[in-house]
Amino acid sequence: MQMSKMMIQPRLDYFHMIHGVTRRIVDQIPADKLDYKPTDAVRTFSETVQHMYGCLDSMMKMTKEGTFCEDTKADIKTKADLNKFVDDMFASAMKTWESVTDAELNRKVEAYGTTFDAWQFPFFAVDEHWHHRGALTIYLRMLGIAPIMIYDYQ
């Protein structure tokens, strides 16, 4: 199946709206709760957010470059650091997407122990985001904080 940027763009346009809601969810966590996690077996709130946005950035790079790369990392110590990372990674990912060509979308990429069409990575990034955003809302509820409505695209 041949894929074009034009076919993926509407999904990423919608993702801009999703990101806006996620950004507001991240704003809801108190600064002293960034390291909150309900059990030792899961990521902290901050680690989950870093994975979501580091993964977004790396998946767009894999789409563009055609080779596997690890999630983009940062040294997050404060809520301001986390918010900056979210903003920087979203901007980086969208800038990378702007430069992706149809030819780059239609090549094979070795990643995660198998082979994918490069065009699948933007979809994976959005799916990964949704999945982990659900966890963030649960973390907030466990802290007694009512999360914003996840479909409140203001």
Side-chain angles (χ1 to χ4, degrees):
M1 168 188 209
Q2 288 286 15
M3 184 63 72
S4 71
K5 238 177 126 169
M6 181 181 71
M7 296 166 75
I8 299 171
Q9 189 61 53
R11 177 83 167 175
L12 293 180
D13 291 343
Y14 178 54
F15 187 60
H16 278 266
M17 293 168 44
I18 295 167
H19 162 68
V21 175
T22 303
R23 186 66 174 73
R24 289 173 34 229
I25 289 170
V26 171
D27 283 341
Q28 286 190 278
I29 193 79
D32 66 338
K33 299 295 184 192
L34 290 178
D35 292 330
Y36 173 76
K37 60 181 178 176
T39 72
D40 289 338
V42 298
R43 292 178 174 113
T44 68
F45 188 94
S46 178
E47 289 167 344
T48 302
V49 172
Q50 290 174 62
H51 168 66
M52 290 166 66
Y53 283 92
C55 178
L56 170 64
D57 189 52
S58 69
M59 287 194 178
M60 289 304 184
K61 287 176 182 173
M62 285 190 269
T63 305
K64 174 69 181 165
E65 298 166 9
T67 58
F68 176 77
C69 63
E70 296 287 338
D71 288 2
T72 306
K73 305 276 188 212
D75 183 26
I76 306 296
K77 293 189 177 16
T78 67
K79 189 169 177 179
D81 293 341
L82 184 62
N83 286 333
K84 183 175 182 340
F85 181 75
V86 166
D87 295 341
D88 289 351
M89 290 301 95
F90 189 80
S92 174
M94 293 305 110
K95 183 176 181 180
T96 300
W97 170 252
E98 288 173 11
S99 69
V100 170
T101 66
D102 287 350
E104 290 165 338
L105 288 173
N106 288 290
R107 66 179 163 206
K108 301 293 184 190
V109 179
E110 299 289 328
Y112 311 113
T114 192
T115 303
F116 297 99
D117 292 311
W119 62 261
Q120 291 178 287
F121 288 103
F123 291 98
F124 294 158
V126 173
D127 289 347
E128 186 75 358
H129 189 94
W130 272 118
H131 163 77
H132 288 296
R133 190 171 85 177
L136 297 180
T137 63
I138 291 168
Y139 284 23
L140 289 174
R141 287 185 194 284
M142 292 179 81
L143 289 167
I145 301 166
I148 62 165
M149 171 57 169
I150 62 168
Y151 299 108
D152 182 6
Y153 298 121
Q154 292 190 32

